[in-house]
Amino acid sequence: MTIRRRSLLVHAAGSTLAALCALPALAVPGRVLPPMTDGPFYPTRRWRETGPFAAGGWDADLTQVTGQPARARGEHLDLALQVVDTDGRVADRAEVEIWQCDTLAVYRHPRDRNEPGQFDPGFQGFGMAGAGSDGVVRFRTIRPVPYPGRTPHIHVKLRHAAFGELSSQLFVDGDSGNARDFLWRRLDDEAQAALAMALQPAAAGDGLRWQVRHRIVVPA
Ligand SMILES: [Fe+2]
């Protein structure tokens, strides 16, 4: 941990000083992103491009669906992720995807409930964006809610030429459901710290309720 902190500080003296200084609240996780499976509700590219929700697009704002007048139900969350490697270097230009269920606990997926009234049409459910040169990628989504048998979580998948493809899940730090979650319980303290997002009340307006800056460490 000491080495990694020092490495980050040394790196901060370089070209990304401004970017790192602009994100002082980022916590440094203790280890590389613990891998997890995509689970049963990862929306395949083919379905995203041809399915009933294809026209809505899959951008970084999951709370706004094209053609839907109402924004997503739930507590809106400003989610900023910064991707750094174990040497403290920013992993710029990473491709990042997130997906999660809506406030009715429904995933935007062909195997979940898709009939009108069964899901929140204002929630995109899946989004993708590329990290900038500072390694930061930003989403607007909702605070995750419990799914039957699961504590609140946001699935995340990263792609980059340097490390390939990584999938995991982000949890809400301090959520009372974590202790009963079978995936959370398998994680040791460091892994839990790497995946626990410390949500804060949002400083900005615009309907936001929560914000979080979370650092994801990838293999160098
Ligand atoms: Fe899930």
Side-chain angles (χ1 to χ4, degrees):
M1 176 63 81
T2 303
I3 294 172
R4 184 170 300 122
R5 285 185 185 280
R6 186 178 300 126
S7 176
L8 285 168
L9 288 171
V10 169
H11 186 72
S15 61
T16 57
L17 176 61
L20 289 177
C21 286
L23 293 164
L26 279 167
V28 180
R31 68 162 59 162
V32 169
L33 185 73
M36 291 189 173
T37 66
D38 289 340
F41 296 116
Y42 176 69
T44 64
R45 181 184 297 271
R46 177 178 171 78
W47 183 79
R48 294 200 307 267
E49 293 174 348
T50 60
F53 305 101
W58 305 104
D59 63 7
D61 184 354
L62 282 69
T63 66
Q64 181 82 65
V65 175
T66 303
Q68 292 293 334
R71 299 197 77 154
R73 300 181 216 169
E75 300 177 356
H76 289 197
L77 166 67
D78 175 14
L79 170 63
L81 303 171
Q82 186 178 37
V83 188
V84 300
D85 69 20
T86 49
D87 289 338
R89 295 174 301 194
V90 168
D92 62 342
R93 313 301 178 194
E95 184 181 318
V96 182
E97 300 174 346
I98 64 169
W99 66 103
Q100 65 187 102
C101 64
D102 63 23
T103 56
L104 302 176
V106 176
Y107 278 89
R108 199 66 70 247
H109 191 279
R111 286 200 295 271
D112 212 338
R113 289 170 285 166
N114 283 312
E115 295 299 319
Q118 294 182 319
F119 63 92
D120 176 9
F123 185 57
Q124 194 171 287
F126 172 94
M128 55 194 305
S133 59
D134 57 358
V136 175
V137 59
R138 199 163 187 172
F139 293 95
R140 179 172 175 136
T141 185
I142 59 171
R143 177 177 176 138
V145 301
Y147 183 83
R150 292 298 317 280
T151 195
H153 61 279
I154 297 176
H155 295 265
V156 61
K157 183 189 288 289
L158 299 93
R159 292 189 192 88
H160 194 283
F163 56 80
E165 186 173 297
L166 294 173
S167 291
S168 194
Q169 300 179 25
L170 301 173
F171 298 79
V172 177
D173 187 33
D175 192 284
S176 60
N178 291 345
R180 298 187 299 274
D181 188 84
F182 75 104
L183 286 176
W184 176 264
R185 289 163 61 121
R186 290 182 190 169
L187 304 170
D188 63 26
D189 289 349
E190 277 195 343
Q192 289 180 350
L195 298 180
M197 302 182 293
L199 270 52
Q200 306 290 332
D206 191 30
L208 281 171
R209 176 79 181 276
W210 302 99
Q211 63 184 27
V212 65
R213 307 286 181 266
H214 192 78
R215 183 166 286 168
I216 289 177
V217 178
V218 296

